[in-house]
Amino acid sequence: MADIEKPVLSEITGEFFDRVVAPAEIGEKVRSCLQCGTCTASCPVARFTERSPREIVRLVLTGREEEIMRPEVLYYCSACYSCAVRCPMGIRLTELVNLLRDVMVERGEGPLPTQQEMVKSVENYDNPWLLPRAQRDRWARKLSERVKVLPGKKAAVLYYPGCTAAYLPNMQKVALATAEVLNLAGVDFGIMGRDEVCCGSTAMRVGMKGLFLEQAGKNIEKINALGVEQVVTACAGCYGIMKLSYPDVAPLEPRVLHVSEMLARLVEEGSLRLGPLPRKVTYHDPCHLARHGGITDEPRKVLEAITGLEVVEMARTGENARCCGGGGGLRTGHPDEAARIASERQQEAVETGAEALVTCCPFCGMNLTDSLALGDGLPVLDLVELVFESAR
Amino acid sequence: MAGRIGVYICRCGTNIAGTVDCALVCEYARGLPGVVVAREYSYMCSDPGQSLIKADIEELGLDKVVAAACSPRLHEHTFRAALEEAGINPYLLEMANIREQCSWVHSDPGEATSKAKVLVGGSVAKAGFLRELPRREFPVTQSVLVIGGGIAGIHAATNMAAAGKKVYLVERGPSIGGHMAQLDKTFPTLDCSACILTPKMVDVERYPNVDILTDSELVGLDGFVGNFKARVRTNPRYVDLAKCTGCGDCDEACVLAGKIPSEFDGGLSNRSAIYIPFPQAVPLAAAVDRANCLLLEKGKCKSPCLDACAAGAIDFEMEESERELEVGAVVVATGFEDYPAEELSQYGYGRYPEVITGLQFERMLAPSGPTGGKVILPDGREPESMAFLHCIGSRDENANEYCSRVCCMYSMKQAHLAREMSGAEVYEFYIDVTAFGKGYQEFYRRVRDEGVFFVRGKCAEVARLGGELKVFAEDTLLGRQVELPVDMVVLATGLIPSGGTQELARSLGVPLGPDGFFAEAHPKLRPVETQADGIFLAGCCQGPKDIPDTVAQAGAAAAEALVLMDRGKVEVEAGVCRIDVETCNGCGICVDTCPYSAITLEEETAVVNEAVCKGCGLCAAACLGGAAVLELYDDEQIIANIEGVLR
């Protein structure tokens, strides 16, 4: 049996809170925590960690630095934002954990060893997949003349596929389908080809603030130089970062759109005609699109525009969609847990009676597909793939 | 222009003297032109303090008084009364606020003292130009308007009617009774809500001096305290209240019978387009739901209701009417609305039929309700397990920050009744149990003793997974995640202001608080008054409260209104606008500027209706020729004030 902690009162100083958390922007609300447990009950990883999100807040406020600054506590969060959007006191818990990860990295105690490989890859190759820069535009070869490469040419829209759709052989279909659909709709777009660099999301989420700033800075400079009006991405992670975190780094001149926003507009304007596709699907909202970015209607509008397509919702959907487990560095840091969470999400999809699971993030797509090895599940499709099939 | 001025500096215990050196201010005042005497005292508002002033007026022949003390909002009337008692005009008083605007907001004693001197200097200079003004009094109309026919409005109306006043009880819906009529039993005593409410409903109707105006709304309020003119619109009910017997034959005959969700039953049952609001309704008469009636909306219906009505009470030609009521006071009792639970999508309200609100559960418990008092699931089964979720829409930045004050108690009452009636396993998910009223802690303990299972954690989500309806929470006392399958979920939804509160507030000229409820004049000392004299608040329109507090507040509001009416006259501020007829050229700029429509042009000269003028001074600022003058703040006085400050 453990001893009663002594002296209890003198330990509760909140000194760590005052020094580390309070000066940051997120600090202002942390003190108001009611310890109601909404965060923990919403958290997909709380059952794996040493400390739940609710306990993290309490430990931070009582200055128990040693108990909290541990990888077993801080490196499970999948950055799904469920706690943050539901917290009745408006505490931005996801950002609190991210801030603590930044401090872990500053102290040389983070990120996790497996994540360090990924981080090195971003440092050296501008992508997390340990693949050379020269391969970034490989996916586009099949398109040959059907895609412009900027800045050599001019275009109104930049399509930014992001590292996962650009590099991973089983996800390149997302990049291809996006480009094909934009062509079909007559959108004047181009890509950056080999010049593209990682959006910085992977670095930011594991606490590598410096590397994130570097990547974001490079990206903003390069994109601003292209003179495009809009940046469109088909990756929820890239979207969340560019739309919500870039403004804190430097102004990004073109407007950032997720492909679902653009497709919804094209469908509404009549520029994109979608043919019949008699199929029953369910839609998984990516965390960074739905909760972080607040976009839940547009992907559904696009799906509704496909005649014959029946969309059935999962039990937890929209703002309440359960995380696939892929984000926040969890897939790299704790692959087994990430796969288990994905498999549970797949189970929800199976319960709908749908024949396919549609999402609109290659990272979610990859994680949900890989989880099929663990058990039941539905084939995973990206929204743009489905749209391409129906528009052809 | 001096005079014989006395200056009285209040130390206000240490409130002022803690920062301001009152002796130095006193000495400074003695050296100012016109000052005959200057004194400091610990509490100038106290009897001995006032006696000092009165004695000096009488013995030294003072003709102006400067009181350097707190805000005039607090004690101006005290000092004016002292002047009057000593035999001089009460408006020969000038106040220097050296507390709220000086000692309380400064920490440096030296600087605070200098500022107090300057403020006193300004007041002394202005005092020289004060003139005698008449006290302005108006009679008070001996009738009152009560807006809202819930328990608050009913109680206030009954008390004032019993005191012999004419009462207009205006209710937007087709019956009085409000939310209390929907409740089954009341906490913590478990008396039947209808059994204690309906006698009061019948009682208020029986008073010959009470006019109950159902289907009616206030559309405008003019005038001032004691002398309001209220415009009330009555929407057509399409049923003649004098003829209708409340038999309900029309209800059964309607082609839409059983098709329209009943608001009284929270949508758990259906009604017709012509219906009796509820069995104990007052007035007990049918009403036509205009939005759903086929004849009124589409112009096409066989109208079997007309044939069914033996009394010939139905009249589709009825039109809306408007009347003007002269009242001396207004009691606002517009109550609350249920928080719209569908806005927090994580709880599955509107998605899962087994998830219902507290008010819906009340209807289920009621013997006259949609299930005949049985706790059952939509498929007719009795639930074997139930979860009651606290704080839905309350204490939540995503909804409302405030605590709705009744949900913990009603939820525990419902848990008790649910166990009693169904034998189900019952769980309460809570953050803190707010059980502060008389007998509430005892009830909380009773419910725990009975075996209701309390989980200390706010429910995060309700979802049907693997065929089971599950409640997700954390048992924060154990630090473990809870995933509890239940048959039924009852949301303890909070209270929000009634629809139309903002519009009503604008009509009344009464401000709302940041929570959207009506703001009382002072949270502690003037809890039923508003910033608008003669308008009082009762019940949940001022903020969520339980029935005992609502009734107590309604009684207090009635008492305040009675004080006003029984006093019989109201004094209004003397500082109104005066027009110098010699100077006025009749340009009319003041007429356009006045926000209270208090000024008219008569024979090319502006004329002020002093009863309506609020003394805001906009006309005086706008008048190009200087003909509009604001009493107590005319140009001479303001300039002297400034010069005194700059001395």
Side-chain angles (χ1 to χ4, degrees), chain B residues 527-548:
Chain B
V528 302
E529 293 167 71
T530 65
Q531 292 294 350
D533 289 344
I535 301 180
F536 306 100
L537 304 175
C540 289
C541 70
Q542 179 259 345
K545 51 179 68 65
D546 55 17
I547 296 169

PDB file of all heavy atoms in Angstrom, chain B residues 527-548:
ATOM      1  N   PRO B 527     -34.475  43.257  -5.559  1.00  0.00           N
ATOM      2  CA  PRO B 527     -34.515  42.053  -6.388  1.00  0.00           C
ATOM      3  C   PRO B 527     -35.726  41.937  -7.307  1.00  0.00           C
ATOM      4  O   PRO B 527     -35.699  41.142  -8.242  1.00  0.00           O
ATOM      5  CB  PRO B 527     -34.515  40.910  -5.356  1.00  0.00           C
ATOM      6  CG  PRO B 527     -35.122  41.503  -4.146  1.00  0.00           C
ATOM      7  CD  PRO B 527     -34.704  42.955  -4.134  1.00  0.00           C
ATOM      8  N   VAL B 528     -36.811  42.655  -7.053  1.00  0.00           N
ATOM      9  CA  VAL B 528     -37.968  42.539  -7.945  1.00  0.00           C
ATOM     10  C   VAL B 528     -38.229  43.819  -8.732  1.00  0.00           C
ATOM     11  O   VAL B 528     -39.121  43.868  -9.563  1.00  0.00           O
ATOM     12  CB  VAL B 528     -39.253  42.114  -7.185  1.00  0.00           C
ATOM     13  CG1 VAL B 528     -39.034  40.785  -6.479  1.00  0.00           C
ATOM     14  CG2 VAL B 528     -39.706  43.182  -6.213  1.00  0.00           C
ATOM     15  N   GLU B 529     -37.439  44.866  -8.429  1.00  0.00           N
ATOM     16  CA  GLU B 529     -37.608  46.098  -9.197  1.00  0.00           C
ATOM     17  C   GLU B 529     -36.733  46.051 -10.437  1.00  0.00           C
ATOM     18  O   GLU B 529     -35.828  45.232 -10.532  1.00  0.00           O
ATOM     19  CB  GLU B 529     -37.194  47.305  -8.346  1.00  0.00           C
ATOM     20  CG  GLU B 529     -38.105  47.554  -7.164  1.00  0.00           C
ATOM     21  CD  GLU B 529     -37.481  48.547  -6.200  1.00  0.00           C
ATOM     22  OE1 GLU B 529     -37.394  49.730  -6.542  1.00  0.00           O
ATOM     23  OE2 GLU B 529     -37.072  48.115  -5.107  1.00  0.00           O
ATOM     24  N   THR B 530     -37.009  46.926 -11.389  1.00  0.00           N
ATOM     25  CA  THR B 530     -36.152  47.027 -12.564  1.00  0.00           C
ATOM     26  C   THR B 530     -35.625  48.451 -12.644  1.00  0.00           C
ATOM     27  O   THR B 530     -36.004  49.308 -11.846  1.00  0.00           O
ATOM     28  CB  THR B 530     -36.940  46.736 -13.855  1.00  0.00           C
ATOM     29  OG1 THR B 530     -37.922  47.761 -14.016  1.00  0.00           O
ATOM     30  CG2 THR B 530     -37.609  45.376 -13.803  1.00  0.00           C
ATOM     31  N   GLN B 531     -34.782  48.691 -13.627  1.00  0.00           N
ATOM     32  CA  GLN B 531     -34.281  50.057 -13.821  1.00  0.00           C
ATOM     33  C   GLN B 531     -35.413  50.996 -14.224  1.00  0.00           C
ATOM     34  O   GLN B 531     -35.278  52.204 -14.115  1.00  0.00           O
ATOM     35  CB  GLN B 531     -33.170  50.086 -14.889  1.00  0.00           C
ATOM     36  CG  GLN B 531     -31.879  49.403 -14.481  1.00  0.00           C
ATOM     37  CD  GLN B 531     -31.160  50.095 -13.334  1.00  0.00           C
ATOM     38  OE1 GLN B 531     -31.513  51.201 -12.936  1.00  0.00           O
ATOM     39  NE2 GLN B 531     -30.164  49.426 -12.767  1.00  0.00           N
ATOM     40  N   ALA B 532     -36.506  50.439 -14.731  1.00  0.00           N
ATOM     41  CA  ALA B 532     -37.648  51.275 -15.102  1.00  0.00           C
ATOM     42  C   ALA B 532     -38.607  51.324 -13.916  1.00  0.00           C
ATOM     43  O   ALA B 532     -39.140  50.296 -13.507  1.00  0.00           O
ATOM     44  CB  ALA B 532     -38.336  50.693 -16.330  1.00  0.00           C
ATOM     45  N   ASP B 533     -38.808  52.530 -13.368  1.00  0.00           N
ATOM     46  CA  ASP B 533     -39.697  52.662 -12.207  1.00  0.00           C
ATOM     47  C   ASP B 533     -41.079  52.141 -12.543  1.00  0.00           C
ATOM     48  O   ASP B 533     -41.623  52.428 -13.613  1.00  0.00           O
ATOM     49  CB  ASP B 533     -39.802  54.141 -11.804  1.00  0.00           C
ATOM     50  CG  ASP B 533     -38.510  54.636 -11.178  1.00  0.00           C
ATOM     51  OD1 ASP B 533     -37.684  53.786 -10.784  1.00  0.00           O
ATOM     52  OD2 ASP B 533     -38.326  55.870 -11.108  1.00  0.00           O
ATOM     53  N   GLY B 534     -41.658  51.388 -11.619  1.00  0.00           N
ATOM     54  CA  GLY B 534     -43.033  50.924 -11.798  1.00  0.00           C
ATOM     55  C   GLY B 534     -43.149  49.613 -12.551  1.00  0.00           C
ATOM     56  O   GLY B 534     -44.240  49.109 -12.748  1.00  0.00           O
ATOM     57  N   ILE B 535     -42.003  49.044 -12.994  1.00  0.00           N
ATOM     58  CA  ILE B 535     -42.031  47.740 -13.663  1.00  0.00           C
ATOM     59  C   ILE B 535     -41.294  46.738 -12.775  1.00  0.00           C
ATOM     60  O   ILE B 535     -40.127  46.949 -12.430  1.00  0.00           O
ATOM     61  CB  ILE B 535     -41.407  47.808 -15.066  1.00  0.00           C
ATOM     62  CG1 ILE B 535     -42.162  48.833 -15.921  1.00  0.00           C
ATOM     63  CG2 ILE B 535     -41.429  46.428 -15.736  1.00  0.00           C
ATOM     64  CD1 ILE B 535     -41.636  48.998 -17.328  1.00  0.00           C
ATOM     65  N   PHE B 536     -41.991  45.678 -12.395  1.00  0.00           N
ATOM     66  CA  PHE B 536     -41.449  44.708 -11.430  1.00  0.00           C
ATOM     67  C   PHE B 536     -41.335  43.328 -12.059  1.00  0.00           C
ATOM     68  O   PHE B 536     -42.009  43.024 -13.044  1.00  0.00           O
ATOM     69  CB  PHE B 536     -42.353  44.666 -10.195  1.00  0.00           C
ATOM     70  CG  PHE B 536     -42.577  46.023  -9.586  1.00  0.00           C
ATOM     71  CD1 PHE B 536     -43.747  46.735  -9.849  1.00  0.00           C
ATOM     72  CD2 PHE B 536     -41.600  46.615  -8.799  1.00  0.00           C
ATOM     73  CE1 PHE B 536     -43.946  48.012  -9.316  1.00  0.00           C
ATOM     74  CE2 PHE B 536     -41.790  47.884  -8.255  1.00  0.00           C
ATOM     75  CZ  PHE B 536     -42.964  48.589  -8.514  1.00  0.00           C
ATOM     76  N   LEU B 537     -40.477  42.499 -11.472  1.00  0.00           N
ATOM     77  CA  LEU B 537     -40.206  41.167 -12.015  1.00  0.00           C
ATOM     78  C   LEU B 537     -40.671  40.080 -11.054  1.00  0.00           C
ATOM     79  O   LEU B 537     -40.497  40.203  -9.843  1.00  0.00           O
ATOM     80  CB  LEU B 537     -38.702  40.988 -12.254  1.00  0.00           C
ATOM     81  CG  LEU B 537     -38.014  42.016 -13.141  1.00  0.00           C
ATOM     82  CD1 LEU B 537     -36.505  41.756 -13.163  1.00  0.00           C
ATOM     83  CD2 LEU B 537     -38.575  41.968 -14.557  1.00  0.00           C
ATOM     84  N   ALA B 538     -41.210  39.012 -11.621  1.00  0.00           N
ATOM     85  CA  ALA B 538     -41.619  37.877 -10.798  1.00  0.00           C
ATOM     86  C   ALA B 538     -41.278  36.579 -11.510  1.00  0.00           C
ATOM     87  O   ALA B 538     -41.571  36.412 -12.691  1.00  0.00           O
ATOM     88  CB  ALA B 538     -43.120  37.945 -10.522  1.00  0.00           C
ATOM     89  N   GLY B 539     -40.619  35.687 -10.821  1.00  0.00           N
ATOM     90  CA  GLY B 539     -40.405  34.329 -11.326  1.00  0.00           C
ATOM     91  C   GLY B 539     -39.231  34.198 -12.280  1.00  0.00           C
ATOM     92  O   GLY B 539     -38.283  34.984 -12.250  1.00  0.00           O
ATOM     93  N   CYS B 540     -39.310  33.185 -13.136  1.00  0.00           N
ATOM     94  CA  CYS B 540     -38.162  32.793 -13.962  1.00  0.00           C
ATOM     95  C   CYS B 540     -37.795  33.791 -15.057  1.00  0.00           C
ATOM     96  O   CYS B 540     -36.760  33.627 -15.691  1.00  0.00           O
ATOM     97  CB  CYS B 540     -38.415  31.421 -14.577  1.00  0.00           C
ATOM     98  SG  CYS B 540     -38.345  30.112 -13.346  1.00  0.00           S
ATOM     99  N   CYS B 541     -38.611  34.807 -15.293  1.00  0.00           N
ATOM    100  CA  CYS B 541     -38.198  35.791 -16.306  1.00  0.00           C
ATOM    101  C   CYS B 541     -36.951  36.527 -15.827  1.00  0.00           C
ATOM    102  O   CYS B 541     -36.223  37.101 -16.616  1.00  0.00           O
ATOM    103  CB  CYS B 541     -39.329  36.769 -16.599  1.00  0.00           C
ATOM    104  SG  CYS B 541     -39.687  37.905 -15.261  1.00  0.00           S
ATOM    105  N   GLN B 542     -36.696  36.494 -14.505  1.00  0.00           N
ATOM    106  CA  GLN B 542     -35.535  37.187 -13.938  1.00  0.00           C
ATOM    107  C   GLN B 542     -34.350  36.234 -13.811  1.00  0.00           C
ATOM    108  O   GLN B 542     -33.224  36.655 -13.611  1.00  0.00           O
ATOM    109  CB  GLN B 542     -35.938  37.779 -12.578  1.00  0.00           C
ATOM    110  CG  GLN B 542     -34.850  38.519 -11.834  1.00  0.00           C
ATOM    111  CD  GLN B 542     -34.239  37.672 -10.729  1.00  0.00           C
ATOM    112  OE1 GLN B 542     -34.792  36.653 -10.337  1.00  0.00           O
ATOM    113  NE2 GLN B 542     -33.090  38.080 -10.251  1.00  0.00           N
ATOM    114  N   GLY B 543     -34.589  34.937 -13.964  1.00  0.00           N
ATOM    115  CA  GLY B 543     -33.529  33.938 -13.840  1.00  0.00           C
ATOM    116  C   GLY B 543     -34.174  32.656 -13.365  1.00  0.00           C
ATOM    117  O   GLY B 543     -35.236  32.690 -12.746  1.00  0.00           O
ATOM    118  N   PRO B 544     -33.518  31.497 -13.645  1.00  0.00           N
ATOM    119  CA  PRO B 544     -34.110  30.232 -13.243  1.00  0.00           C
ATOM    120  C   PRO B 544     -34.352  30.187 -11.736  1.00  0.00           C
ATOM    121  O   PRO B 544     -33.512  30.637 -10.956  1.00  0.00           O
ATOM    122  CB  PRO B 544     -33.048  29.203 -13.644  1.00  0.00           C
ATOM    123  CG  PRO B 544     -32.224  29.874 -14.679  1.00  0.00           C
ATOM    124  CD  PRO B 544     -32.226  31.334 -14.332  1.00  0.00           C
ATOM    125  N   LYS B 545     -35.501  29.677 -11.353  1.00  0.00           N
ATOM    126  CA  LYS B 545     -35.763  29.487  -9.925  1.00  0.00           C
ATOM    127  C   LYS B 545     -36.835  28.431  -9.744  1.00  0.00           C
ATOM    128  O   LYS B 545     -37.574  28.110 -10.656  1.00  0.00           O
ATOM    129  CB  LYS B 545     -36.104  30.800  -9.224  1.00  0.00           C
ATOM    130  CG  LYS B 545     -37.172  31.642  -9.861  1.00  0.00           C
ATOM    131  CD  LYS B 545     -37.438  32.906  -9.066  1.00  0.00           C
ATOM    132  CE  LYS B 545     -36.302  33.907  -9.071  1.00  0.00           C
ATOM    133  NZ  LYS B 545     -36.021  34.484 -10.396  1.00  0.00           N
ATOM    134  N   ASP B 546     -36.911  27.898  -8.529  1.00  0.00           N
ATOM    135  CA  ASP B 546     -37.895  26.865  -8.242  1.00  0.00           C
ATOM    136  C   ASP B 546     -39.231  27.500  -7.886  1.00  0.00           C
ATOM    137  O   ASP B 546     -39.363  28.727  -7.829  1.00  0.00           O
ATOM    138  CB  ASP B 546     -37.385  25.917  -7.147  1.00  0.00           C
ATOM    139  CG  ASP B 546     -36.978  26.669  -5.900  1.00  0.00           C
ATOM    140  OD1 ASP B 546     -37.381  27.839  -5.752  1.00  0.00           O
ATOM    141  OD2 ASP B 546     -36.245  26.104  -5.064  1.00  0.00           O
ATOM    142  N   ILE B 547     -40.226  26.656  -7.616  1.00  0.00           N
ATOM    143  CA  ILE B 547     -41.566  27.198  -7.364  1.00  0.00           C
ATOM    144  C   ILE B 547     -41.614  28.029  -6.074  1.00  0.00           C
ATOM    145  O   ILE B 547     -42.174  29.126  -6.078  1.00  0.00           O
ATOM    146  CB  ILE B 547     -42.616  26.064  -7.378  1.00  0.00           C
ATOM    147  CG1 ILE B 547     -42.665  25.441  -8.775  1.00  0.00           C
ATOM    148  CG2 ILE B 547     -44.007  26.594  -7.006  1.00  0.00           C
ATOM    149  CD1 ILE B 547     -43.467  24.155  -8.864  1.00  0.00           C
ATOM    150  N   PRO B 548     -41.018  27.563  -4.958  1.00  0.00           N
ATOM    151  CA  PRO B 548     -41.069  28.407  -3.755  1.00  0.00           C
ATOM    152  C   PRO B 548     -40.477  29.801  -3.974  1.00  0.00           C
ATOM    153  O   PRO B 548     -41.073  30.807  -3.559  1.00  0.00           O
ATOM    154  CB  PRO B 548     -40.220  27.626  -2.734  1.00  0.00           C
ATOM    155  CG  PRO B 548     -40.222  26.225  -3.208  1.00  0.00           C
ATOM    156  CD  PRO B 548     -40.384  26.265  -4.688  1.00  0.00           C
TER     157      PRO B 548
END
